[in-house]
Amino acid sequence: MKALTFPKSSRLLKPSDYGKVFDDVQIRVPHRNFLILATPNTLGHARIGLVFSKKNLKLAVQRNRVKRRIRETFRHQPDFPALDIVVLGRRGLADLDNATLNVTVMELWSRLRKKNRQLQIPSTSEQSGTGKGTG
């Protein structure tokens, strides 16, 4: 069984890492309480960064709880695509209990996977489609 850890290699650590995602957003997964931005990376594994402001979650206890839940659900994702992901919090997060938060975040991860697959499919079909009918 795979050890369920959350190493530094799975995190966006530097401002430049976050900047790459914000400057080159290729996948957006909106939700009433979250916004997920992602861009492919060349590392072969996913990395995550979390952005939660005091404006949306007043107390540090609330911010830390939400971040813990998101990290935990991310950690349990098997074979996540090679993406750099930034999760931004929106208003209303403090009202969600842990069970609702987990369900919401798991749904967002599945939507992110689906959008990533859709992003990959057109690039391969366009290349194969250009060779047909030319000759």
Side-chain angles (χ1 to χ4, degrees), residues 52-86:
F52 294 96
S53 68
K54 288 182 184 179
K55 181 179 178 182
N56 296 331
L57 289 167
K58 303 278 186 237
L59 303 176
V61 172
Q62 296 168 338
R63 290 190 300 277
N64 293 337
R65 178 183 64 91
V66 171
K67 288 193 273 188
R68 271 195 311 272
R69 300 305 331 149
I70 291 173
R71 279 193 298 262
E72 187 67 11
T73 59
F74 177 77
R75 193 171 67 91
H76 286 290
Q77 296 300 309
D79 304 324
F80 214 78
L83 296 170
D84 283 345
I85 304 163
V86 174

Side-chain angles (χ1 to χ4, degrees), residues 2 25 33 54 58 61 116:
K2 179 182 163 187
V25 175
N33 300 114
K54 288 182 184 179
K58 303 278 186 237
V61 172
N116 185 55

Side-chain angles (χ1 to χ4, degrees), residues 92-103:
L93 273 174
D95 301 332
L96 298 179
D97 63 345
N98 284 345
T100 307
L101 190 60
N102 285 345
V103 169

